[in-house]
């Protein structure tokens, strides 16, 4: 992988200033210290064994609207990519630190926590009041359970949850910094769908945002609406029923600082960094992936489209041609051959049901191969120095 010249990289001192400001203004999650202790022990254990370790981030992030949070903005991600990838990394011999949005899918248990297949559907009552797996599910369940137990018993999997965007960033920074002793054997695989916007603490309401003036009426006599408030009644979209501006909830969001540069240059200077880029418009996917790589100078961007993300992804890495990885449209891997098409699939051409094979079974070996090359290059550089 050949590093290339950044086009519009923010100056490092600005990135450091943005980091200081963000992390001092946004309080850490209450379990941060506890999580860092668990992460440190886990990383040290695998670092001593000379093992590769991957940090997999997974799921969405919430954007709280209130400090005592009742309402928040969220996104679609269920954590399928992250949880599935974690299983294939374990299969490839990696220790996995799985940093996930609370209540999103988890490696192994994901097979039994779908919205359509509740885990109770896989169970039945057995002899003497015992609970057993249904006969038709028992084989697969035993296989999944064995893999899960093995990962846990051998201390190969550490699972840490986060909730909000600021929790995520505090956890990511802390863990990335702890991964330094792994050198190039550390891999950061950033599959979480991280919000680009947030409400900064200085503009966040402490309590639940009110939808009526009942609280004001409780503390003082309500005054007659002012002339300007009455005018607001008419200040609205032509087609909608008239709603005064004072009754609308207008949410004013700031952009979340882009910390990928800080990650690459400061928090994890030696680890291999893989980010994901999600788009909905096929025309801009590869361009956006290249832009991100150019801007942050990391090692691999995996591009995917919302509608086809279980069927194909594109690898964009420095010095390599773009590489599309696809599940053959029949859904099976037996007839897998690299598709010739170097552009996104038409979602209308895809079968309605999900592919039988998991695309992560192709993504992870390809990432691991790039990681092997990366480790060799970095170790070679060390020897030269
Ligand atoms: O969680 P999921 O499997 O439904 O979706 C995975 C994904 C699309 C969130 C992930 O592949 C991804 O692209 N993450 C990064 C999103 C982004 O910040 O652009």
């Amino acid at each position: 992988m050949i590093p290339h010249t950044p086009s519009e990289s923010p100056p490092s001192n600005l990135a450091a200033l943005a980091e200081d400001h963000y992390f001092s203004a946004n309080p850490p999650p209450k379990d941060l210290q506890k999580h860092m202790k668990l992460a440190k022990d886990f990383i040290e254990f695998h670092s001593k064994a000379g093992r590769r370790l991957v940090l997999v981030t997974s799921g969405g992030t919430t954007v709280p609207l209130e400090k005592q949070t009742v309402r928040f903005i969220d996104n679609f991600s269920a954590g399928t990519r992250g949880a599935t990838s974690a299983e294939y990394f374990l299969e490839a011999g990696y220790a996995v630190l799985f940093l996930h949005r609370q209540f999103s899918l988890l490696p192994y248990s994901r097979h039994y926590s779908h919205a359509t297949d509740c885990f109770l559907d896989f169970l039945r009552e057995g002899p003497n009041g015992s609970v057993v797996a249904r006969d038709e599910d028992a084989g697969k369940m035993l296989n999944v359970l064995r893999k899960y137990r093995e990962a846990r018993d051998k201390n190969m999997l550490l699972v840490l949850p986060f909730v909000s965007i600021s929790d995520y960033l505090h956890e990511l920074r802390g863990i990335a910094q702890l991964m330094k002793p792994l050198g190039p054997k550390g891999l950061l695989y950033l599959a979480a769908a991280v919000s680009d916007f947030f409400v900064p603490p200085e503009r966040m309401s402490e309590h639940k945002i009110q939808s009526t003036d009942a609280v004001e009426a409780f503390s003082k006599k309500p005054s007659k609406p002012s002339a300007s408030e009455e005018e607001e009644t008419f200040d609205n979209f032509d087609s909608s029923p008239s709603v005064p501006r004072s009754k609308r909830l207008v949410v004013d969001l700031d952009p979340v600082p882009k910390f990928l540069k800080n990650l690459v240059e400061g928090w994890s200077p030696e680890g291999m960094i893989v980010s994901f880029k999600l788009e909905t418009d096929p025309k801009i996917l590869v361009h956006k992936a290249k832009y991100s790589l150019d801007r942050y100078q990391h090692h691999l961007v995996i591009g995917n489209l919302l509608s086809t993300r279980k069927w194909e992804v594109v690898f964009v890495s420095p010095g390599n041609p773009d590489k599309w990885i696809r599940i053959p449209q029949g859904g099976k891997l037996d007839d897998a051959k690299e598709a010739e098409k170097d552009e996104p699939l038409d979602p209308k051409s895809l079968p309605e049901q999900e592919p039988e094979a998991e695309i992560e079974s192709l993504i992870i070996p390809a990432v691991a191969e790039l990681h092997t090359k990366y480790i060799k290059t970095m170790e070679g550089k060390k020897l030269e120095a």
Side-chain angles (χ1 to χ4, degrees), residues 36-177:
M36 290 308 110
K37 168 85 180 78
L38 290 167
K40 187 167 182 288
D41 292 349
F42 185 74
I43 292 163
E44 270 175 16
F45 177 82
H46 293 292
S47 173
K48 277 190 195 135
R51 190 171 287 123
R52 294 183 189 190
L53 185 150
V54 60
L55 168 67
V56 175
T57 70
S58 184
T61 54
T62 65
V63 175
L65 299 184
E66 299 123 344
K67 286 186 184 155
Q68 296 192 37
T69 309
V70 173
R71 301 189 185 89
F72 52 85
I73 302 175
D74 206 349
N75 66 49
F76 73 96
S77 172
T80 310
R81 174 81 79 227
T84 312
S85 299
E87 289 179 21
Y88 287 102
F89 273 122
L90 285 162
E91 227 160 80
Y94 281 76
V96 176
L97 202 166
F98 187 69
L99 181 64
H100 73 290
R101 156 78 189 278
Q102 189 182 34
F103 306 132
S104 62
L105 295 176
L106 294 172
Y108 305 113
S109 76
R110 74 183 171 97
H111 298 278
Y112 302 101
S113 52
H114 287 176
T116 44
D117 299 326
C118 149
F119 83 99
L120 291 175
D121 291 333
F122 297 91
L123 303 176
R124 66 171 173 83
E125 199 170 328
N128 305 321
S130 60
V131 177
V132 293
R134 286 189 321 186
D135 295 346
E136 62 271 40
D137 300 312
K140 182 184 169 195
M141 200 178 266
L142 181 64
N143 192 23
V144 171
L145 179 66
R146 279 185 179 153
K147 285 184 182 167
Y148 173 71
R149 281 267 50 103
E150 192 186 350
R152 283 303 218 190
D153 295 348
K154 292 190 173 159
N155 193 27
M156 292 294 281
L157 173 64
L158 176 66
V159 173
L160 297 177
F162 64 84
V163 178
S164 68
I165 168 74
S166 89
D167 296 354
Y168 166 80
L169 289 169
H170 274 282
E171 299 267 357
L172 174 66
R173 180 171 76 157
I175 295 169
Q177 288 170 341

Side-chain angles (χ1 to χ4, degrees), residues 250-310:
V250 178
V251 183
D252 191 7
L253 302 170
D254 277 7
V256 174
K258 303 280 185 207
F259 287 123
L260 207 43
K261 187 175 178 66
N262 308 56
L263 180 66
V264 176
E265 288 184 358
W267 309 346
S268 178
E270 279 192 72
M272 176 170 160
I273 297 172
V274 180
S275 72
F276 276 79
K277 174 59 67 189
L278 173 74
E279 291 298 337
T280 54
D281 180 353
K283 291 197 284 298
I284 64 171
L285 177 65
V286 171
H287 168 76
K288 289 287 296 287
K290 284 189 195 293
Y291 180 84
S292 171
L293 199 65
D294 213 26
R295 188 174 165 95
Y296 302 114
Q297 296 286 286
H298 54 304
H299 312 105
L300 171 65
V301 179
I302 303 182
N304 53 176
L305 291 166
L306 185 66
S307 55
T308 58
R309 68 190 189 283
K310 294 191 176 167

